Structures are given as structure tokens and as C-alpha cells.
Amino acid sequence: MASTINKKMFDSEEASAMVKDLRGTFDSGKTRSYEWRTSQLKALVKLTEEHEQEIVAALHSDLSKSETESFIQEIAMLKNSCKVALKELKHWMTSEKVKTSLTTFPSSAEIVSEPLGVVLVISAWNYPFLLSLDPVIGAIAAGNAVVLKPSEIAPATSSLLAKLLGDYMDNSSVRVVEGAVDETSALLQQKWDKIFYTGNGRVGRIVMAAAAKHLTPVVLELGGKSPVVVDSNINLQVATRRIIAGKWGCNNGQACISPDYIITTKDYAPKLVDALKTELEKFYGNNPLESKDLSRIVNSNHFARLTKLLDDDKVSGKIVYGGEKNESKLRISPTVLLDVPRDSLIMSEEIFGPLLPILTVDKLEESFDVINSGPKPLAAYIFTTNKKLKEQFVMTVSAGGLVVNDTTLHLAVHTLPFGGVGESGVGAYHGKFSFDTFSHKKAVLYRSFMGDASIRYPPYTNTKMRLLKALIGGGILGIIRALFGWS
């Protein structure tokens, strides 16, 4: 069974001893077998199925998530990731045969996926169950020993993960470390074979700096200001509902791929605002602060940060819907702001909450320049039926992922890589991409003792030089010419 490290006694010395134990297990070859990998993946499925209500309760305690949102966006997605890995694992583990060249004839070659070793997963608080275990699935599928550090900002889920993984997983290969800054710092001092971090850019830089001391590769799943471009030639009701689902239906905007702001034309903005008001009232009622379908703000620090964005003088009078707050309950209603200045505070950082600014432009094509003038986002969305505009969007906008005529759903497609670019992240995962991110692609070339050409060895002659040049650029005919001195 996977053990849980007591956070009160966990320091750099404890971390070092833990990593040493895990490396001993990995070096024994235990985690490399197909049987071990599948046993652990099946254990994760069983854990999820047998403790669904406890998981829902922990998520509600940490974020006031509804049971439906918890099931769809965390529990079901996690089970699906496990089942995809179980179904495809033999295929993923199979070496890939590749072609060789005339230079190495006769020979054969393959690419072998091997586990990296002992890896660290540092998780986030906003989807504390899914974002903790989804990378662990990839690490286990690839045959690694793994340490999970859940987020202390979601304490109920962190505690539950520690207990359940302790009960269901292999103690010698899978560990959970609870705690906060001190425990994370102790972990980062160790030498890992890979570090997978989900969170913000500030901590991402700390993780990368710590990893650099050991030349440890990292995956950084960060965030950014994910834009939504809205054209006027659309089904407005469907588009509006999909924007709302991606913004407020995803943890009340506390999601790395939630729409951060909208760009539309000045002429179309009033229609869009009216549609947002109508659909928001349908979804969350006249008093959204009391809606059971909206998550609360995670803690008082984030509540104060979001309040500061609304109190900025530059956005005074820009609220066209919402803006209600209840500090004692850590609730902020869905809030729409129109014609927010681009140099305002709300446009200078990722919002990560229920506030949605709308920027307006004269021509929709100008929106691409607005997006590309800032750091590359984790996701970007467009609603349009204009084929040329779609193609321009895909070719012009650089983001971790794009969705046309919807929001956030690319996250659920396991055949697509999920990850950032630039300041929104490094590396990707989901499906086979998770397996690959925790694997080393080892090149293997096989040769026999036949075909040992003297051209490789001294003494080097003009004839050998002609043959070498022919091998490189002339093909079979060039080699014949070189051998016989033909021009």
C-alpha cells in the first residue's frame, strides 16, 4: 500500500531517504512490467469507483463544487484517462520499428520507450483530484516510481488523496507528501528524473530553477489569459451558452483554460452582452450568489485579489452585469464588463475567477493582433462561421490549444496533446502524450558482423573519398561511378 509522509516530520532529510527508497524499487525493475503498470491503473479505477461520494464531499469542502461538476470534470475524466491507458498500454509499450539508411546496411532499428525513473508530480488546487492523479496515470503507465504532492490550498482533497493512495497503491513505488511551502521546498532539493508541475508562472519559475540544478527535465502546466473571439455570423444563443459553460461552469472561472476575456466588434458587443445576461439568469437565477451550481472562491486571498481587480479606477462603471460579492461566503457572482481598457489591472494578469471583460475592435481581424501582443495563452477560442477567419485564426494565433465554436472541450480529447507554449507552459500530456512525457525514447540500432566496409577505416584514399561522397549524395548510381572512375 502507498504510504503517506507525515508533513510535521517531513524535511530535506526525509525527502532524500524517500527518494532513495523509491530509486531502489525502480532499479529493481519492479515498475517496468506490464503487469505492475496495469495493476496500479486498475487500482486507481477501483479507488475512484469505491469512494466517489467521499471525493465529491472533499471537492465540495474545498471549493463548494456541485456533485455534477465534480463528477463530470474530475471523477469521470480521471476514470476515462485510466481506461484509455489500460486499453492502449500494450500498444504504447511496443517498440517502434524505423527505417535505416544505406550507410548502416545491413541493419535494423527501433525506438524503445523506457521509464525515466523516479518522478515528482506537484498538483494544483482548482481541480485537486483530477490534476493530481491524471499526471500520475501517465507516470505509472510509463513504468516510473512517483511522488505526488497535492495542493495544501485544497486540504480536504489532499488529505483524502493521501489516505486513498495509501490504501490502494503500491507502497514501494507510489508515495504522497502533504504539506505546503516547506515540504515542497524539501522535495525540490532532491534529484528527480522528471518534475511535473501544475500551477502559476511564479511558482513555475521556482520549480524550473530548482530542476536546473540537477538538469532535471520539467513539464510546466501553467495558464494565461485565454481569449474568446466572437464573430457576428453565429448562433448567438449556442455560442453564449458555450462561453458560460467554459467560464462559470468550470469552477466559476477558476480554471486554467477558462475564457479570460472576449473580443468582439463594437457593433456586435451590445447583442452579446444581452445574450450573456439572458443565459446567465437561466443558468444561475436572479441571485447567483445562492446558486448551488457555482463554486465559491477558493480562499480569502483569492477573493481579495479578485476584488482588487474590480476596484481598479480604470474599470469603474464598466460592469454591465453582476458584480455582487459576499466576502463571508467567499462568493462573487458572474460578472461581465464592457469596453475595459487594455492597460487596466484586470487585463494585466490571468483573472482566474468569475469576471469576464469584453474588449471591442472595429474589425474582428484586429483581435488577432490584440491576442498576439501579449504572452501566449494556454487556450484560445473563436466563434465564427467564416471559413477564412477560422483558417486565419488557426494560422495566426499561438496558444497551447485552440477550439473553434466552443470552449475548453479540447481538454477531453485524449488524442490531442494538452499543454502550453511560452509563458503558458512547457510540455504536454493526456492519453499517449502522458505516457510519452514520462518516457525516454531510446534509439536502438542492430547490426550483424556482415557488411563491414573498409571505406570506414584508414588509410583513407582518393577512391574511398569518392565512395564516401557518393554514399552521401549519389545513391547507387553514384557509388558505381565512383568505383569505376566514371564522370
Side-chain angles (χ1 to χ4, degrees):
M1 297 295 102
S3 65
T4 300
I5 306 300
N6 186 329
K7 65 181 182 180
K8 293 182 179 179
M9 59 179 280
F10 193 80
D11 55 18
S12 183
E13 185 177 342
E14 289 285 334
S16 178
M18 178 190 65
V19 173
K20 183 178 179 181
D21 287 347
L22 290 170
R23 200 166 295 284
T25 300
F26 177 77
D27 290 344
S28 75
K30 179 180 184 179
T31 65
R32 292 174 179 263
S33 73
Y34 173 79
E35 291 74 20
W36 181 87
R37 302 183 201 197
T38 54
S39 72
Q40 297 305 295
L41 293 172
K42 288 175 181 176
L44 281 175
V45 174
K46 186 177 180 183
L47 175 161
T48 305
E49 291 177 343
E50 294 183 349
H51 296 275
E52 181 177 311
Q53 288 307 309
E54 291 175 65
I55 297 164
V56 168
L59 293 170
H60 187 269
S61 175
D62 287 331
L63 290 153
S64 293
K65 284 193 181 185
S66 69
E67 182 173 359
T68 301
E69 184 176 336
S70 295
F71 178 77
I72 293 174
Q73 297 179 5
E74 300 220 36
I75 295 168
M77 288 189 68
L78 194 283
K79 286 171 64 176
N80 185 62
S81 290
C82 278
K83 290 177 179 179
V84 167
L86 284 165
K87 180 182 177 182
E88 301 291 342
L89 186 56
K90 273 193 176 177
H91 173 65
W92 294 348
M93 291 177 66
T94 303
S95 60
E96 178 188 354
K97 303 297 182 183
V98 294
K99 293 180 180 180
T100 58
S101 66
L102 185 61
T103 305
T104 62
F105 178 84
S107 65
S108 62
E110 64 180 351
I111 300 171
V112 176
S113 294
E114 68 173 8
L116 293 170
V118 183
V119 301
L120 173 64
V121 174
I122 305 175
S123 184
W125 56 262
N126 56 327
Y127 287 87
F129 183 73
L130 176 67
L131 296 183
S132 291
L133 294 184
D134 210 0
V136 170
I137 290 169
I140 289 172
N144 298 278
V146 57
V147 173
L148 169 64
K149 167 59 183 68
S151 174
E152 71 280 7
I153 298 177
T157 307
S158 176
S159 177
L160 183 63
L161 282 168
K163 176 183 180 297
L164 294 181
L165 267 68
D167 290 342
Y168 282 79
M169 306 301 289
D170 176 9
N171 176 47
S172 69
S173 309
V174 181
R175 303 285 183 94
V176 179
V177 174
E178 289 194 273
V181 174
D182 290 343
E183 289 76 13
T184 304
S185 298
L187 289 170
L188 288 175
Q189 291 173 28
Q190 311 310 311
K191 178 175 173 56
W192 305 91
D193 295 296
K194 194 152 202 177
I195 299 175
F196 190 109
Y197 168 75
T198 304
N200 62 58
R202 179 184 61 81
V203 178
R205 288 174 171 83
I206 295 171
V207 170
M208 183 172 270
K213 294 177 183 178
H214 300 288
L215 293 180
T216 299
V218 298
V219 173
L220 302 178
E221 292 294 338
L222 306 176
K225 297 187 73 64
S226 298
V228 185
V229 178
V230 180
D231 202 353
S232 60
N233 58 2
I234 58 172
N235 183 321
L236 182 55
Q237 183 184 38
V238 172
T240 302
R241 292 165 69 91
R242 291 176 179 179
I243 292 169
I244 292 171
K247 178 67 173 180
W248 295 283
C250 288
N251 208 21
N252 204 7
Q254 298 170 108
C256 56
I257 54 172
S258 282
D260 193 273
Y261 65 100
I262 291 174
I263 307 176
T264 192
T265 60
K266 289 181 173 65
D267 292 339
Y268 197 65
K271 292 181 180 179
L272 177 59
V273 169
D274 287 343
L276 284 167
K277 291 178 181 179
T278 299
E279 297 304 319
L280 280 166
E281 288 187 6
K282 287 180 184 178
F283 286 8
Y284 305 116
N286 294 324
N287 187 5
L289 291 180
E290 299 298 324
S291 174
K292 294 180 180 180
D293 294 320
L294 281 171
S295 300
R296 64 168 168 80
I297 307 307
V298 66
N299 58 30
S300 57
N301 289 335
H302 281 273
F303 185 93
R305 177 184 61 81
L306 291 164
T307 298
K308 183 180 178 182
L309 298 182
L310 285 178
D311 290 344
D312 180 12
D313 289 341
K314 290 184 178 179
V315 301
S316 177
K318 301 295 184 180
I319 296 176
V320 292
Y321 180 82
E324 299 85 8
K325 301 185 292 291
N326 186 323
E327 186 172 2
S328 64
K329 294 183 178 181
L330 295 178
R331 291 190 173 273
I332 299 176
S333 68
T335 302
V336 181
L337 305 95
L338 180 61
D339 284 326
V340 171
R342 295 182 196 174
D343 61 351
S344 59
L345 190 60
I346 202 170
M347 291 304 300
S348 66
E349 61 182 60
E350 184 180 9
I351 294 170
F352 222 73
L355 319 179
L356 185 61
I358 298 176
L359 308 183
T360 59
V361 292
D362 292 322
K363 294 182 179 180
L364 208 60
E365 288 79 4
E366 297 172 28
S367 63
F368 302 156
D369 292 331
V370 173
I371 296 168
N372 290 331
S373 66
K376 296 178 181 181
L378 182 58
Y381 311 110
I382 189 170
F383 288 87
T384 184
T385 58
N386 185 315
K387 181 181 178 181
K388 183 178 179 182
L389 196 66
K390 291 178 191 176
E391 293 173 350
Q392 187 180 355
F393 178 77
V394 172
M395 292 298 296
T396 304
V397 172
S398 181
L402 306 178
V403 182
V404 177
N405 293 331
D406 214 320
T407 64
T408 71
L409 282 186
H410 62 304
L411 179 75
V413 182
H414 71 82
T415 51
L416 289 174
F418 180 80
V421 59
E423 291 191 25
S424 61
V426 177
Y429 72 126
H430 287 181
K432 188 175 185 295
F433 301 99
S434 292
F435 177 87
D436 289 341
T437 205
F438 287 105
S439 300
H440 166 59
K441 299 300 183 184
K442 182 165 61 179
V444 183
L445 178 70
Y446 300 94
R447 296 204 73 210
S448 72
F449 288 99
M450 298 175 62
D452 192 49
S454 63
I455 191 175
R456 293 178 62 186
Y457 310 119
Y460 299 120
T461 64
N462 289 335
T463 299
K464 287 183 178 180
M465 178 60 75
R466 287 197 302 271
L467 281 169
L468 283 169
K469 289 182 177 180
L471 275 171
I472 293 169
I476 296 295
L477 184 58
I479 294 170
I480 294 171
R481 286 173 172 166
L483 282 170
F484 291 94
W486 297 343
S487 59

